[in-house]
């Protein structure tokens, strides 16, 4: 059995997985070009889902199983005849920490402080606290549960929008039909829902208009969950106070995108799921799945 691993940490994965499947041949690649050269005979592919391109799939006629190193596998939608597993359940710490970082940076206008530092300008303004504020989480999966606990520890009230009827750390859950009401009562809205046809542009101009003028939007889900043009307009018009986007409809975000210059918008390059110990976080899942396979 040949197993192709496409990742910056491919060698580390291979070394650990060889202990589970010592008779398998592990092919490691750090780039798509390298992977294409080794793909022909592999029946298993281990990689981040967004790095699995049509060209790579076409180069693997014997492919039987994809182990995605991500939670989301929407980029593989429609693929037939291949088993797909993911790494759900490990992203709570890094996603929660980024959410809190972006909430604080947006509310406290931290980018303006950095600009003032570069200009040697001493300017002070009141610093908004998270304590006592309300955060509404759109989507209440495992990441939201981790984030709700962290926000609760900071003294925040947490609400949610979901089909679930209860979730730990969440004081009130609104059905999707009451989205506007949920947003109206939140100081921060954090988008964590999977991207589907039903959640395409779940945050649109209407949703943004329902938010208080002092509210901040954080999107850590998928770019398609948010109408980026509507967010840009809402920020320019002062409909909301600030926003932070980690994911975009087109990635990498093109240099010519108008989003780069939108006032009170923080852009991060899809780093929400990253961590400096990522391979250690997902190895238990990949190892168990390989043993089952």
């Amino acid at each position: 059995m040949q197993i192709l691993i496409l990742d910056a940490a491919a060698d580390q994965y291979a070394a650990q997985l060889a202990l589970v499947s010592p008779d398998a041949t592990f092919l490691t690649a750090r780039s798509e070009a390298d992977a294409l050269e080794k793909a022909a005979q592999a029946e298993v592919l281990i990689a981040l889902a967004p790095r699995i391109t049509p060209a790579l799939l076409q180069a693997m006629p014997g492919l039987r199983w994809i182990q995605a190193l991500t939670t989301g596998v929407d980029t593989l939608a429609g693929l037939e005849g291949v088993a797909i597993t993911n790494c759900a359940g490990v992203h709570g710490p890094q996603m929660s920490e980024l959410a809190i970082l972006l909430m604080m940076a947006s509310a406290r206008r931290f980018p303006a402080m950095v600009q003032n530092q570069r200009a040697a300008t001493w300017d002070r303004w009141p610093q908004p606290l998270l304590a006592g504020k309300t955060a509404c989480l759109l989507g209440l999966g495992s990441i939201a549960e981790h984030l709700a606990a962290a926000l609760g520890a900071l003294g925040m009230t947490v609400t949610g929008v979901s089909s679930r009827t209860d979730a730990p750390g969440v004081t009130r859950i609104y059905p999707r039909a009451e989205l506007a009401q949920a947003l109206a009562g939140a100081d921060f809205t954090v988008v964590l829902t999977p991207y589907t046809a039903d959640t395409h542009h779940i945050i649109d101009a209407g949703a943004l208009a329902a938010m208080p003028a002092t509210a901040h939007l954080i999107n850590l889900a998928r770019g398609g969950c948010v109408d980026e043009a509507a967010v840009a307009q809402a920020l320019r018009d002062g409909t909301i106070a600030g926003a932070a986007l980690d994911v975009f409809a087109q990635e990498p975000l093109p240099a010519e995108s108008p989003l780069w210059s939108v006032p009170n918008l923080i852009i991060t390059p899809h780093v929400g799921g990253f961590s400096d110990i990522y391979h250690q976080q997902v190895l238990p899942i990949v190892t168990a799945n390989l043993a089952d396979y």
Side-chain angles (χ1 to χ4, degrees):
M1 177 172 58
Q2 292 192 11
I3 300 173
L4 175 61
I5 307 174
L6 170 58
D7 194 81
D11 292 338
Q12 291 96 315
Y13 284 113
Q16 293 297 314
L17 296 176
L19 301 177
V20 177
S21 186
D23 295 330
T25 298
F26 290 91
L27 310 170
T28 61
R30 296 174 65 90
S31 68
E32 181 180 5
D34 190 16
L36 288 170
E37 293 180 358
K38 302 174 180 178
Q41 301 303 316
E43 67 177 81
V44 178
L45 173 61
I46 301 174
L48 298 167
R51 297 193 67 183
I52 301 174
T53 64
L56 183 56
L57 293 173
Q58 188 174 6
M60 304 181 71
L63 181 63
R64 297 180 58 197
W65 171 38
I66 293 175
Q67 171 62 66
L69 297 175
T70 50
T71 296
V73 291
D74 47 285
T75 54
L76 302 174
L79 187 62
E80 298 181 353
V82 178
I84 300 174
T85 53
N86 68 358
C87 287
V90 303
H91 298 84
Q94 52 260 47
M95 293 285 279
S96 296
E97 290 184 21
L98 181 62
I100 293 169
L101 169 66
L102 295 177
M103 290 165 67
M104 295 178 69
S106 185
R108 291 173 174 251
R109 295 170 52 209
F110 188 72
M113 291 187 185
V114 174
Q115 291 178 355
N116 285 343
Q117 177 183 347
R118 291 170 179 165
T121 299
W122 184 271
D123 186 15
R124 304 170 72 230
W125 55 84
Q127 294 294 290
L129 301 181
L130 295 186
K133 301 296 196 307
T134 296
C136 179
L137 311 184
L138 271 60
L140 293 176
S142 60
I143 293 172
E145 290 184 7
H146 194 284
L147 177 57
L151 297 179
L154 292 172
M156 298 190 72
T157 298
V158 181
T159 64
V161 176
S162 174
S163 59
R164 294 176 61 172
T165 56
D166 65 273
V170 181
T171 60
R172 180 175 180 179
I173 300 177
Y174 296 83
R176 173 70 182 275
E178 297 178 10
L179 174 63
Q181 182 180 350
L183 299 178
D187 301 289
F188 297 89
T189 294
V190 184
V191 185
L192 297 169
T193 184
Y195 179 56
T196 66
D198 289 336
T199 60
H200 178 73
H201 287 186
I202 186 173
I203 298 297
D204 56 11
L208 292 162
M211 297 180 188
T214 55
H216 298 262
L217 170 69
I218 314 294
N219 185 18
L220 302 180
R222 284 289 186 269
C225 295
V226 168
D227 183 339
E228 295 169 355
V231 171
Q233 192 61 50
L235 290 170
R236 294 189 183 100
D237 294 344
T239 303
I240 59 174
L245 306 179
D246 184 55
V247 288
F248 302 88
Q250 182 179 354
E251 295 184 1
L253 186 64
E256 62 273 15
S257 171
L259 291 175
W260 292 107
S261 58
V262 172
N264 300 320
L265 174 61
I266 298 173
I267 290 174
T268 52
H270 201 154
V271 295
F274 279 10
S275 80
D276 54 351
I277 57 166
Y278 191 74
H279 70 283
Q280 297 175 28
Q281 290 178 301
V282 301
L283 258 172
I285 296 174
V286 179
T287 299
N289 286 346
L290 179 57
D292 288 344
Y293 181 79

